[in-house]
């Protein structure tokens, strides 16, 4: 069965510093990969997604992620964080069979804290 | 207006009560999903539907049922609520194989 691991439950970063959130997946086929962000009391917003092609994916809010098949990873990065980036971040892998979208398997999330 | 709406946004109920959570979407998508979110566990898939005649169980369907009344509406029911069903519930829609899933704002359910 597919699974997603986000090794870091909490990460604290100073404002203006760079950020990398880790994500590893286990999936038998070519994965469809996503990063979502959830601000306190809010729903989930898509940051970026990878389906195929260029393994470096650009997203919204200055985020990017790189798909590395050899490492089964899809790490999220941002060169300079802002206080408004404080949130919960979820990595997810898409389940697809028979041409349909069967749902997403999510990691447990990484809580990002921004220090002034 | 939001593309994916959920009602109610908050609900407190008692053990053994039947409760229905509703989801509506204006995106015209065929695929709809129900997830629950628990602290420290991320989101887990409960049920999903490809159209009104196609309902599928997800990872954690026990204790839940769903109804796809129309393309735009997908309801989640707890026939007899229990405290460990206290969670944040999200509905999502998707337009196709390579499309993104769009999430509603969530329903916070508390079972006493």
């Amino acid at each position: 069965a597919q699974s997603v691991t986000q090794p870091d439950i909490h990460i604290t970063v100073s404002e203006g510093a760079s950020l990398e959130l880790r994500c590893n997946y286990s999936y038998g086929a070519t994965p469809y990969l996503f990063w979502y962000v959830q601000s306190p009391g809010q729903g989930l917003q898509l940051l970026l997604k990878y389906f195929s092609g260029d393994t470096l994916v650009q997203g919204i809010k200055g985020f990017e992620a790189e798909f590395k098949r050899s490492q089964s990873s899809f790490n999220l990065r941002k060169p300079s964080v802002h206080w408004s980036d404080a949130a919960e971040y979820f990595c997810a892998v898409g389940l697809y069979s028979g041409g349909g979208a069967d749902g997403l398997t999510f990691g447990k999330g990484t809580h990002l804290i921004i220090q002034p | 207006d939001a593309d994916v709406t959920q009602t109610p946004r908050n609900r407190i109920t008692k053990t053994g009560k039947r409760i229905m959570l509703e989801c509506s979407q204006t995106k015209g998508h065929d695929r709809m999903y129900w997830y629950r979110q628990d602290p420290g566990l991320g989101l887990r898939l409960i049920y999903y539907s490809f159209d009104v005649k196609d309902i599928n169980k997800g990872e954690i369907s026990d204790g839940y049922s769903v109804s796809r009344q129309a393309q735009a509406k997908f309801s989640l029911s707890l026939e007899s609520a229990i405290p460990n069903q206290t969670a944040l519930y999200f509905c999502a829609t998707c337009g196709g194989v390579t499309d993104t899933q769009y999430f509603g704002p969530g329903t916070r359910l508390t079972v006493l």
Side-chain angles (χ1 to χ4, degrees), chain A residues 1-2 4-5 8-9 11 17 19 25 37 40 55 57 60 65 67 69 74 77 80-82 86-87 98 104 106:
Chain A
Q2 60 287 329
V4 178
T5 301
D8 303 304
I9 298 174
I11 281 188
L19 170 70
Y25 66 89
V37 61
T55 56
V57 180
I60 63 171
F67 170 57
R69 185 186 302 274
F74 189 57
R77 301 193 293 252
S80 177
V81 298
H82 185 261
L104 296 176
F106 284 83

PDB file of all heavy atoms in Angstrom, chain A residues 1-2 4-5 8-9 11 17 19 25 37 40 55 57 60 65 67 69 74 77 80-82 86-87 98 104 106:
ATOM      1  N   ALA A   1       0.843  -1.190   0.000  1.00  0.00           N
ATOM      2  CA  ALA A   1       0.000   0.000   0.000  1.00  0.00           C
ATOM      3  C   ALA A   1       0.879   1.240   0.000  1.00  0.00           C
ATOM      4  O   ALA A   1       1.991   1.223   0.495  1.00  0.00           O
ATOM      5  CB  ALA A   1      -0.928   0.018   1.202  1.00  0.00           C
ATOM      6  N   GLN A   2       0.330   2.272  -0.579  1.00  0.00           N
ATOM      7  CA  GLN A   2       1.085   3.512  -0.665  1.00  0.00           C
ATOM      8  C   GLN A   2       1.152   4.188   0.701  1.00  0.00           C
ATOM      9  O   GLN A   2       0.267   4.000   1.539  1.00  0.00           O
ATOM     10  CB  GLN A   2       0.445   4.466  -1.679  1.00  0.00           C
ATOM     11  CG  GLN A   2      -0.976   4.843  -1.350  1.00  0.00           C
ATOM     12  CD  GLN A   2      -1.945   3.721  -1.598  1.00  0.00           C
ATOM     13  OE1 GLN A   2      -1.759   2.887  -2.470  1.00  0.00           O
ATOM     14  NE2 GLN A   2      -2.978   3.679  -0.782  1.00  0.00           N
ATOM     15  N   VAL A   4       2.991   7.909   2.807  1.00  0.00           N
ATOM     16  CA  VAL A   4       3.737   9.158   2.742  1.00  0.00           C
ATOM     17  C   VAL A   4       4.302   9.443   4.124  1.00  0.00           C
ATOM     18  O   VAL A   4       3.575   9.365   5.122  1.00  0.00           O
ATOM     19  CB  VAL A   4       2.829  10.322   2.300  1.00  0.00           C
ATOM     20  CG1 VAL A   4       3.614  11.622   2.296  1.00  0.00           C
ATOM     21  CG2 VAL A   4       2.242  10.050   0.929  1.00  0.00           C
ATOM     22  N   THR A   5       5.578   9.761   4.175  1.00  0.00           N
ATOM     23  CA  THR A   5       6.229  10.067   5.437  1.00  0.00           C
ATOM     24  C   THR A   5       6.761  11.489   5.434  1.00  0.00           C
ATOM     25  O   THR A   5       7.510  11.872   4.523  1.00  0.00           O
ATOM     26  CB  THR A   5       7.408   9.100   5.698  1.00  0.00           C
ATOM     27  OG1 THR A   5       6.908   7.760   5.716  1.00  0.00           O
ATOM     28  CG2 THR A   5       8.068   9.406   7.024  1.00  0.00           C
ATOM     29  N   ASP A   8       9.531  15.286   9.850  1.00  0.00           N
ATOM     30  CA  ASP A   8       9.579  16.375  10.826  1.00  0.00           C
ATOM     31  C   ASP A   8       8.177  16.787  11.245  1.00  0.00           C
ATOM     32  O   ASP A   8       7.405  17.263  10.420  1.00  0.00           O
ATOM     33  CB  ASP A   8      10.321  17.581  10.230  1.00  0.00           C
ATOM     34  CG  ASP A   8      11.721  17.205   9.778  1.00  0.00           C
ATOM     35  OD1 ASP A   8      12.477  16.702  10.617  1.00  0.00           O
ATOM     36  OD2 ASP A   8      12.030  17.410   8.588  1.00  0.00           O
ATOM     37  N   ILE A   9       7.850  16.604  12.519  1.00  0.00           N
ATOM     38  CA  ILE A   9       6.528  16.997  13.009  1.00  0.00           C
ATOM     39  C   ILE A   9       6.465  18.512  13.162  1.00  0.00           C
ATOM     40  O   ILE A   9       5.462  19.136  12.843  1.00  0.00           O
ATOM     41  CB  ILE A   9       6.235  16.309  14.357  1.00  0.00           C
ATOM     42  CG1 ILE A   9       6.221  14.789  14.166  1.00  0.00           C
ATOM     43  CG2 ILE A   9       4.910  16.787  14.926  1.00  0.00           C
ATOM     44  CD1 ILE A   9       6.084  14.022  15.464  1.00  0.00           C
ATOM     45  N   ILE A  11       8.925  22.196  12.690  1.00  0.00           N
ATOM     46  CA  ILE A  11      10.149  22.862  12.245  1.00  0.00           C
ATOM     47  C   ILE A  11      10.038  24.327  12.610  1.00  0.00           C
ATOM     48  O   ILE A  11       8.990  24.950  12.386  1.00  0.00           O
ATOM     49  CB  ILE A  11      10.362  22.693  10.729  1.00  0.00           C
ATOM     50  CG1 ILE A  11      10.930  21.304  10.437  1.00  0.00           C
ATOM     51  CG2 ILE A  11      11.299  23.766  10.196  1.00  0.00           C
ATOM     52  CD1 ILE A  11      11.352  21.109   8.998  1.00  0.00           C
ATOM     53  N   ALA A  17      14.947  33.255   6.615  1.00  0.00           N
ATOM     54  CA  ALA A  17      15.805  32.099   6.371  1.00  0.00           C
ATOM     55  C   ALA A  17      15.173  31.177   5.333  1.00  0.00           C
ATOM     56  O   ALA A  17      13.992  31.288   5.003  1.00  0.00           O
ATOM     57  CB  ALA A  17      16.042  31.346   7.673  1.00  0.00           C
ATOM     58  N   LEU A  19      13.974  27.436   3.791  1.00  0.00           N
ATOM     59  CA  LEU A  19      13.158  26.360   4.353  1.00  0.00           C
ATOM     60  C   LEU A  19      13.220  25.140   3.459  1.00  0.00           C
ATOM     61  O   LEU A  19      13.188  25.262   2.225  1.00  0.00           O
ATOM     62  CB  LEU A  19      11.703  26.833   4.448  1.00  0.00           C
ATOM     63  CG  LEU A  19      10.659  25.773   4.799  1.00  0.00           C
ATOM     64  CD1 LEU A  19      10.812  25.325   6.245  1.00  0.00           C
ATOM     65  CD2 LEU A  19       9.265  26.307   4.544  1.00  0.00           C
ATOM     66  N   TYR A  25       7.860   9.048  -0.046  1.00  0.00           N
ATOM     67  CA  TYR A  25       6.663   8.287  -0.373  1.00  0.00           C
ATOM     68  C   TYR A  25       7.024   6.857  -0.699  1.00  0.00           C
ATOM     69  O   TYR A  25       8.166   6.547  -1.072  1.00  0.00           O
ATOM     70  CB  TYR A  25       5.930   8.934  -1.556  1.00  0.00           C
ATOM     71  CG  TYR A  25       6.718   8.860  -2.832  1.00  0.00           C
ATOM     72  CD1 TYR A  25       6.594   7.770  -3.687  1.00  0.00           C
ATOM     73  CD2 TYR A  25       7.619   9.863  -3.175  1.00  0.00           C
ATOM     74  CE1 TYR A  25       7.347   7.670  -4.835  1.00  0.00           C
ATOM     75  CE2 TYR A  25       8.375   9.777  -4.316  1.00  0.00           C
ATOM     76  CZ  TYR A  25       8.244   8.687  -5.144  1.00  0.00           C
ATOM     77  OH  TYR A  25       9.001   8.597  -6.278  1.00  0.00           O
ATOM     78  N   VAL A  37      -1.096  23.351   1.973  1.00  0.00           N
ATOM     79  CA  VAL A  37      -0.858  24.127   3.190  1.00  0.00           C
ATOM     80  C   VAL A  37      -2.195  24.381   3.873  1.00  0.00           C
ATOM     81  O   VAL A  37      -3.225  24.601   3.202  1.00  0.00           O
ATOM     82  CB  VAL A  37      -0.127  25.457   2.884  1.00  0.00           C
ATOM     83  CG1 VAL A  37      -0.941  26.342   1.958  1.00  0.00           C
ATOM     84  CG2 VAL A  37       0.202  26.186   4.173  1.00  0.00           C
ATOM     85  N   PRO A  40      -4.103  28.067  10.244  1.00  0.00           N
ATOM     86  CA  PRO A  40      -4.953  27.785  11.413  1.00  0.00           C
ATOM     87  C   PRO A  40      -6.424  28.073  11.138  1.00  0.00           C
ATOM     88  O   PRO A  40      -6.792  29.160  10.688  1.00  0.00           O
ATOM     89  CB  PRO A  40      -4.384  28.724  12.471  1.00  0.00           C
ATOM     90  CG  PRO A  40      -2.953  28.895  12.099  1.00  0.00           C
ATOM     91  CD  PRO A  40      -2.932  28.883  10.601  1.00  0.00           C
ATOM     92  N   THR A  55      11.245  17.769 -13.148  1.00  0.00           N
ATOM     93  CA  THR A  55      11.171  17.302 -11.756  1.00  0.00           C
ATOM     94  C   THR A  55      11.234  18.435 -10.745  1.00  0.00           C
ATOM     95  O   THR A  55      11.016  18.212  -9.566  1.00  0.00           O
ATOM     96  CB  THR A  55      12.321  16.318 -11.481  1.00  0.00           C
ATOM     97  OG1 THR A  55      13.566  16.950 -11.788  1.00  0.00           O
ATOM     98  CG2 THR A  55      12.154  15.060 -12.319  1.00  0.00           C
ATOM     99  N   VAL A  57       9.385  21.640  -9.590  1.00  0.00           N
ATOM    100  CA  VAL A  57       8.050  22.200  -9.782  1.00  0.00           C
ATOM    101  C   VAL A  57       7.938  23.521  -9.026  1.00  0.00           C
ATOM    102  O   VAL A  57       8.307  23.601  -7.860  1.00  0.00           O
ATOM    103  CB  VAL A  57       6.982  21.221  -9.266  1.00  0.00           C
ATOM    104  CG1 VAL A  57       5.601  21.799  -9.468  1.00  0.00           C
ATOM    105  CG2 VAL A  57       7.105  19.870  -9.959  1.00  0.00           C
ATOM    106  N   ILE A  60       2.825  28.240  -5.797  1.00  0.00           N
ATOM    107  CA  ILE A  60       2.417  29.574  -5.375  1.00  0.00           C
ATOM    108  C   ILE A  60       3.215  30.011  -4.153  1.00  0.00           C
ATOM    109  O   ILE A  60       3.868  29.188  -3.500  1.00  0.00           O
ATOM    110  CB  ILE A  60       0.904  29.627  -5.070  1.00  0.00           C
ATOM    111  CG1 ILE A  60       0.560  28.697  -3.895  1.00  0.00           C
ATOM    112  CG2 ILE A  60       0.092  29.252  -6.301  1.00  0.00           C
ATOM    113  CD1 ILE A  60      -0.853  28.838  -3.395  1.00  0.00           C
ATOM    114  N   ALA A  65       9.289  22.532  -5.313  1.00  0.00           N
ATOM    115  CA  ALA A  65       9.558  21.182  -4.826  1.00  0.00           C
ATOM    116  C   ALA A  65      10.268  20.409  -5.918  1.00  0.00           C
ATOM    117  O   ALA A  65      10.064  20.660  -7.109  1.00  0.00           O
ATOM    118  CB  ALA A  65       8.267  20.478  -4.431  1.00  0.00           C
ATOM    119  N   PHE A  67      11.122  16.538  -7.331  1.00  0.00           N
ATOM    120  CA  PHE A  67      10.833  15.112  -7.334  1.00  0.00           C
ATOM    121  C   PHE A  67      12.135  14.370  -7.620  1.00  0.00           C
ATOM    122  O   PHE A  67      12.775  14.597  -8.641  1.00  0.00           O
ATOM    123  CB  PHE A  67       9.792  14.793  -8.404  1.00  0.00           C
ATOM    124  CG  PHE A  67       9.589  13.326  -8.661  1.00  0.00           C
ATOM    125  CD1 PHE A  67       9.235  12.462  -7.630  1.00  0.00           C
ATOM    126  CD2 PHE A  67       9.747  12.800  -9.933  1.00  0.00           C
ATOM    127  CE1 PHE A  67       9.033  11.121  -7.869  1.00  0.00           C
ATOM    128  CE2 PHE A  67       9.556  11.444 -10.180  1.00  0.00           C
ATOM    129  CZ  PHE A  67       9.202  10.615  -9.142  1.00  0.00           C
ATOM    130  N   ARG A  69      13.143  10.579  -7.967  1.00  0.00           N
ATOM    131  CA  ARG A  69      12.661   9.196  -8.014  1.00  0.00           C
ATOM    132  C   ARG A  69      13.608   8.250  -7.274  1.00  0.00           C
ATOM    133  O   ARG A  69      13.166   7.367  -6.550  1.00  0.00           O
ATOM    134  CB  ARG A  69      12.504   8.738  -9.470  1.00  0.00           C
ATOM    135  CG  ARG A  69      11.902   7.350  -9.626  1.00  0.00           C
ATOM    136  CD  ARG A  69      11.925   6.921 -11.078  1.00  0.00           C
ATOM    137  NE  ARG A  69      11.199   7.844 -11.926  1.00  0.00           N
ATOM    138  CZ  ARG A  69       9.892   7.785 -12.139  1.00  0.00           C
ATOM    139  NH1 ARG A  69       9.177   6.841 -11.540  1.00  0.00           N
ATOM    140  NH2 ARG A  69       9.308   8.648 -12.936  1.00  0.00           N
ATOM    141  N   PHE A  74      10.043  14.116  -2.331  1.00  0.00           N
ATOM    142  CA  PHE A  74       9.399  15.288  -2.966  1.00  0.00           C
ATOM    143  C   PHE A  74       9.458  16.407  -1.932  1.00  0.00           C
ATOM    144  O   PHE A  74       8.480  16.771  -1.305  1.00  0.00           O
ATOM    145  CB  PHE A  74       7.962  14.936  -3.360  1.00  0.00           C
ATOM    146  CG  PHE A  74       7.280  15.986  -4.198  1.00  0.00           C
ATOM    147  CD1 PHE A  74       7.824  16.415  -5.394  1.00  0.00           C
ATOM    148  CD2 PHE A  74       6.054  16.515  -3.805  1.00  0.00           C
ATOM    149  CE1 PHE A  74       7.177  17.365  -6.177  1.00  0.00           C
ATOM    150  CE2 PHE A  74       5.394  17.469  -4.585  1.00  0.00           C
ATOM    151  CZ  PHE A  74       5.965  17.882  -5.772  1.00  0.00           C
ATOM    152  N   ARG A  77      10.596  23.478  -0.789  1.00  0.00           N
ATOM    153  CA  ARG A  77      11.602  24.479  -0.435  1.00  0.00           C
ATOM    154  C   ARG A  77      11.076  25.887  -0.662  1.00  0.00           C
ATOM    155  O   ARG A  77      10.180  26.115  -1.487  1.00  0.00           O
ATOM    156  CB  ARG A  77      12.879  24.288  -1.268  1.00  0.00           C
ATOM    157  CG  ARG A  77      13.537  22.940  -1.112  1.00  0.00           C
ATOM    158  CD  ARG A  77      14.933  22.943  -1.708  1.00  0.00           C
ATOM    159  NE  ARG A  77      14.917  23.102  -3.150  1.00  0.00           N
ATOM    160  CZ  ARG A  77      15.203  22.140  -4.032  1.00  0.00           C
ATOM    161  NH1 ARG A  77      15.494  20.922  -3.569  1.00  0.00           N
ATOM    162  NH2 ARG A  77      15.197  22.382  -5.320  1.00  0.00           N
ATOM    163  N   SER A  80      13.258  32.091   1.213  1.00  0.00           N
ATOM    164  CA  SER A  80      13.177  33.079   2.297  1.00  0.00           C
ATOM    165  C   SER A  80      11.753  33.083   2.839  1.00  0.00           C
ATOM    166  O   SER A  80      10.826  33.508   2.149  1.00  0.00           O
ATOM    167  CB  SER A  80      13.557  34.473   1.770  1.00  0.00           C
ATOM    168  OG  SER A  80      13.413  35.456   2.783  1.00  0.00           O
ATOM    169  N   VAL A  81      11.592  32.626   4.069  1.00  0.00           N
ATOM    170  CA  VAL A  81      10.233  32.502   4.616  1.00  0.00           C
ATOM    171  C   VAL A  81       9.766  33.823   5.214  1.00  0.00           C
ATOM    172  O   VAL A  81      10.551  34.660   5.680  1.00  0.00           O
ATOM    173  CB  VAL A  81      10.143  31.384   5.664  1.00  0.00           C
ATOM    174  CG1 VAL A  81      10.466  30.044   5.045  1.00  0.00           C
ATOM    175  CG2 VAL A  81      11.016  31.670   6.876  1.00  0.00           C
ATOM    176  N   HIS A  82       8.449  33.961   5.225  1.00  0.00           N
ATOM    177  CA  HIS A  82       7.774  35.128   5.785  1.00  0.00           C
ATOM    178  C   HIS A  82       6.926  34.660   6.951  1.00  0.00           C
ATOM    179  O   HIS A  82       6.516  33.495   7.014  1.00  0.00           O
ATOM    180  CB  HIS A  82       6.915  35.773   4.681  1.00  0.00           C
ATOM    181  CG  HIS A  82       6.264  37.047   5.066  1.00  0.00           C
ATOM    182  ND1 HIS A  82       4.954  37.114   5.475  1.00  0.00           N
ATOM    183  CD2 HIS A  82       6.751  38.320   5.110  1.00  0.00           C
ATOM    184  CE1 HIS A  82       4.642  38.369   5.762  1.00  0.00           C
ATOM    185  NE2 HIS A  82       5.713  39.123   5.548  1.00  0.00           N
ATOM    186  N   ALA A  86       3.776  30.578   8.409  1.00  0.00           N
ATOM    187  CA  ALA A  86       3.505  29.704   9.550  1.00  0.00           C
ATOM    188  C   ALA A  86       2.187  28.971   9.334  1.00  0.00           C
ATOM    189  O   ALA A  86       1.134  29.612   9.157  1.00  0.00           O
ATOM    190  CB  ALA A  86       3.443  30.529  10.830  1.00  0.00           C
ATOM    191  N   ALA A  87       2.243  27.661   9.323  1.00  0.00           N
ATOM    192  CA  ALA A  87       1.063  26.858   8.985  1.00  0.00           C
ATOM    193  C   ALA A  87       1.430  25.384   9.111  1.00  0.00           C
ATOM    194  O   ALA A  87       2.555  25.033   9.473  1.00  0.00           O
ATOM    195  CB  ALA A  87       0.592  27.161   7.561  1.00  0.00           C
ATOM    196  N   GLY A  98      -7.547   2.794 -13.199  1.00  0.00           N
ATOM    197  CA  GLY A  98      -8.616   2.766 -14.178  1.00  0.00           C
ATOM    198  C   GLY A  98      -8.933   4.123 -14.757  1.00  0.00           C
ATOM    199  O   GLY A  98     -10.055   4.385 -15.167  1.00  0.00           O
ATOM    200  N   LEU A 104      -6.406  10.795  -2.266  1.00  0.00           N
ATOM    201  CA  LEU A 104      -5.051  11.148  -1.862  1.00  0.00           C
ATOM    202  C   LEU A 104      -4.688  10.457  -0.565  1.00  0.00           C
ATOM    203  O   LEU A 104      -5.524  10.314   0.339  1.00  0.00           O
ATOM    204  CB  LEU A 104      -4.937  12.659  -1.662  1.00  0.00           C
ATOM    205  CG  LEU A 104      -5.151  13.541  -2.900  1.00  0.00           C
ATOM    206  CD1 LEU A 104      -5.104  15.009  -2.516  1.00  0.00           C
ATOM    207  CD2 LEU A 104      -4.130  13.232  -3.968  1.00  0.00           C
ATOM    208  N   PHE A 106      -2.233  11.124   2.523  1.00  0.00           N
ATOM    209  CA  PHE A 106      -1.523  12.249   3.096  1.00  0.00           C
ATOM    210  C   PHE A 106      -0.470  11.802   4.098  1.00  0.00           C
ATOM    211  O   PHE A 106      -0.624  10.788   4.786  1.00  0.00           O
ATOM    212  CB  PHE A 106      -2.494  13.173   3.847  1.00  0.00           C
ATOM    213  CG  PHE A 106      -3.333  14.041   2.949  1.00  0.00           C
ATOM    214  CD1 PHE A 106      -4.483  13.555   2.368  1.00  0.00           C
ATOM    215  CD2 PHE A 106      -2.956  15.354   2.696  1.00  0.00           C
ATOM    216  CE1 PHE A 106      -5.259  14.357   1.536  1.00  0.00           C
ATOM    217  CE2 PHE A 106      -3.717  16.164   1.876  1.00  0.00           C
ATOM    218  CZ  PHE A 106      -4.868  15.667   1.297  1.00  0.00           C
TER     219      PHE A 106
END
